[in-house]
Amino acid sequence: MKNTTHFGFKKVATNDKQSLVRNVFNSVASKYDLMNDILSFGAHRLWKHYTIASSNVKIGNKVLDIAGGTGDLAIEFRKKVGDNGQVILSDINAIMLNEGRKNLTNKGIIGIEFVQLNAQYLPFNSNTFDCISIAFGLRNVTDKDQALKEMYRILKPGGCLLILEFSTTDSALLKKFYDFYSFNIMPKLGSIIADNEASYQYLAESIRKHPNQEDLKSMVLDAGFDFCEYNNLSYGIVALHKGVKI
């Protein structure tokens, strides 16, 4: 592993990134869902609905949601797998995982397991899960290549990986607006609503440092997956990559 990595636009010691990311999410956990709704104008719910619909998850399947935060995907997966299936909601951040637990309790959702874990070191046997999802979390992982290899390892043959993440738009006009919104409006809203401008500045920067659609596709294939395709959502502001282990 390299000695330095990116934390937004800053270069930091590789060993320090995890704690820096943890501090970001510790500070925004209680307002996370509210900020998602405001910053995306509610579109994040449509992106996640599309992800669930693309999963092919069935009754009795085992699903792992990584960086699952407040549990949006886990709730929907729970409906799909039924009582004979298994859904694990995981996050590296204990405070975010606790927000997920509270959210599910408040909604009367039962039967979901909670595991605090690092995506680079998944504590499961090989060939365990039918589906793994990670929504808006991969860009925060320090060693993405290692994490993708771990996800490949614990998927069953025939299983799929779903990566929902901010990506790169080809529209010059939209990019201009999106850049202005990301660097001028988002941090200000973060300051007003979540009392945390710096964390939303990091959010904007981390999106720009994340691999584009084709680069991420190559990374998924390099991790061992036999097939990978992606679909752009909102003109490429977000993309859903689907990798399959044969």
Side-chain angles (χ1 to χ4, degrees):
M1 186 185 293
K2 295 183 293 185
N3 292 327
T4 61
T5 189
H6 291 284
F7 176 72
F9 289 161
K10 299 175 185 174
K11 271 200 170 184
V12 299
T14 299
N15 292 336
D16 291 342
K17 180 171 179 176
Q18 184 176 316
S19 62
L20 291 168
V21 170
R22 182 187 301 116
N23 290 338
V24 166
F25 286 93
N26 282 350
S27 64
V28 303
S30 64
K31 298 289 180 68
Y32 186 76
D33 283 340
L34 173 63
M35 288 298 294
N36 279 350
D37 279 329
I38 292 171
L39 294 179
S40 74
F41 306 100
H44 77 102
R45 299 184 182 276
L46 299 176
W47 300 331
K48 290 170 182 173
H49 179 78
Y50 180 82
T51 300
I52 295 293
S54 302
S55 70
N56 300 323
V57 166
K58 301 177 179 65
I59 294 283
N61 279 178
K62 293 185 176 182
V63 179
L64 172 65
D65 185 28
I66 299 175
T70 53
D72 287 352
L73 290 181
I75 290 170
E76 297 305 316
F77 280 129
R78 179 71 182 86
K79 297 174 185 176
K80 286 179 112 21
V81 304
D83 292 338
N84 294 326
Q86 179 184 33
V87 176
I88 296 177
L89 171 59
S90 69
D91 205 290
I92 195 172
N93 187 293
I95 293 179
M96 285 295 293
L97 202 59
N98 192 49
E99 286 295 319
R101 187 179 283 108
K102 287 194 296 184
N103 186 34
L104 269 61
T105 299
N106 290 339
K107 292 180 178 179
I109 306 294
I110 60 173
I112 293 177
E113 300 173 46
F114 299 86
V115 178
Q116 186 177 357
L117 55 75
N118 184 332
Q120 296 172 200
Y121 311 101
L122 298 174
F124 305 105
N125 293 330
S126 299
N127 307 315
T128 296
F129 293 96
D130 298 285
C131 180
I132 297 173
S133 61
I134 179 166
F136 306 113
L138 186 61
R139 71 180 186 281
N140 297 312
V141 175
T142 303
D143 190 336
K144 298 174 182 61
D145 292 315
Q146 180 177 332
L148 290 169
K149 289 175 183 175
E150 277 287 271
M151 295 175 203
Y152 176 83
R153 178 184 65 80
I154 66 171
L155 271 174
K156 295 177 182 178
C160 74
L161 167 66
L162 300 167
I163 304 171
L164 182 66
E165 189 56 89
F166 292 108
S167 201
T168 305
T169 179
D170 287 333
S171 168
L173 184 62
L174 182 57
K175 184 179 185 303
K176 188 173 182 179
F177 167 77
Y178 186 46
D179 284 346
F180 176 82
Y181 178 74
S182 297
F183 291 105
N184 294 277
I185 306 300
M186 277 174 39
K188 296 303 180 188
L189 288 174
S191 175
I192 294 166
I193 299 168
D195 194 27
N196 194 321
E197 182 171 345
S199 290
Y200 287 92
Q201 180 71 29
Y202 162 74
L203 169 65
E205 294 177 2
S206 68
I207 292 169
R208 281 18 180 231
K209 301 304 293 185
H210 187 68
N212 65 27
Q213 289 91 325
E214 284 294 329
D215 288 345
L216 182 54
K217 177 179 177 179
S218 295
M219 290 170 65
V220 172
L221 293 172
D222 288 344
F225 286 85
D226 301 277
F227 172 80
C228 182
E229 65 177 2
Y230 63 84
N231 287 294
N232 286 330
L233 309 175
S234 300
Y235 301 98
I237 287 177
V238 168
L240 175 66
H241 284 69
K242 183 174 183 178
V244 178
K245 176 179 179 177
I246 296 177

